[in-house]
Amino acid sequence: VQLQASGGGSVQAGGSLRVSCAASGRSTRAYSMGWFRQPPGLEREFVAAISWNGAAQLYADSVKGRFTISRDNANSTVYLQMDSLKPEDTAVYYCAIGNWPLRTILVRYWGQGTQVTVSS
């Protein structure tokens, strides 16, 4: 499975961005999909996950109420809508596919990362 992330960029605090990740190579319909991020100088951390059918979502406390994860199984794509962005959201964002609830140890495939920069 190959994961291609896109949609990162720079935005001012309070703004919005949407990142996308398209999977190819084999069917990902049965897997959970999600996002992690790695802020500068820090460890990679969980951001959000969505179950195979989209019925369940999980969010890190730091993004709850501001970020929304969704998926389109017909196009093997997962999205992360990021609203009310804060400077502390600045990080490289990685998409991932694996088993629920998609913590690091459960990830089977990683994307290449896309940079999100939020300025104050």
Side-chain angles (χ1 to χ4, degrees), residues 21-116:
C21 180
S24 62
R26 59 174 288 182
S27 175
T28 58
R29 188 180 298 267
Y31 288 113
S32 299
M33 304 180 79
W35 294 90
F36 291 72
R37 67 185 182 187
Q38 187 166 17
L42 299 176
E43 298 288 320
R44 190 177 301 188
E45 62 185 18
F46 171 80
V47 176
I50 188 166
S51 62
W52 71 275
N53 61 356
Q57 301 93 42
L58 285 174
Y59 296 95
D61 287 344
S62 59
V63 306
K64 204 171 293 184
R66 300 187 298 120
F67 290 12
T68 303
I69 189 170
S70 60
R71 66 187 292 168
D72 177 356
N73 281 344
N75 293 300
S76 300
T77 301
V78 61
Y79 304 95
L80 186 68
Q81 176 67 39
M82 302 181 288
D83 298 318
S84 302
L85 282 160
K86 304 176 181 179
E88 51 263 45
D89 295 317
T90 295
V92 177
Y93 282 71
Y94 297 90
C95 59
I97 289 179
N99 297 317
W100 188 259
L102 204 66
R103 293 301 189 252
T104 301
I105 196 172
L106 298 171
V107 173
R108 298 192 65 176
Y109 304 99
W110 291 98
Q112 87 285 9
T114 185
Q115 177 70 45
V116 171

